[in-house]
């Protein structure tokens, strides 16, 4: 079963941001309902920036989850 689908099906984890990281082209990766695709090779800076963007979309300034 798709890991992303399992995470999305659980009420406690369904709103967590999910990033898929792979060396394969995006067209060959099963993304499901993942929020972000990051292709290898990538820098630590790039990962940090993209994950920060994901978090800021899902949480308000007080750190509360936005549904």
């Amino acid at each position: 079963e798709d890991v992303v689908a399992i995470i999305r099906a659980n009420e406690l984890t369904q709103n967590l941001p999910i990033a898929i990281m792979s060396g394969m082209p995006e067209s060959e990766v099963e993304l499901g309902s993942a929020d972000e695709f990051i292709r290898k090779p990538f820098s630590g800076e790039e990962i940090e920036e993209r994950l920060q963007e994901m978090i800021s979309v899902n949480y308000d300034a007080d750190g509360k989850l936005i549904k």
Side-chain angles (χ1 to χ4, degrees):
E1 193 170 350
D2 177 15
V3 174
V4 176
I6 293 169
I7 293 169
R8 295 292 188 225
N10 184 318
E11 189 175 316
L12 297 174
T13 59
Q14 65 187 359
N15 294 314
L16 290 176
I18 299 172
I20 304 290
M21 298 179 202
S22 176
M24 296 175 17
E26 186 172 355
S27 61
E28 295 180 24
V29 176
E30 183 71 37
L31 297 177
S33 59
D35 300 293
E36 188 74 45
F37 176 79
I38 303 171
R39 184 154 193 259
K40 294 178 184 176
F42 43 76
S43 67
E45 244 177 55
E46 179 185 3
I47 291 175
E48 182 178 357
E49 181 179 301
R50 305 247 324 247
L51 295 179
Q52 284 295 333
E53 288 173 16
M54 288 174 60
I55 291 169
S56 67
V57 168
N58 290 302
Y59 291 89
D60 65 16
D62 296 322
K64 294 180 183 173
L65 183 64
I66 299 170
K67 293 189 178 189

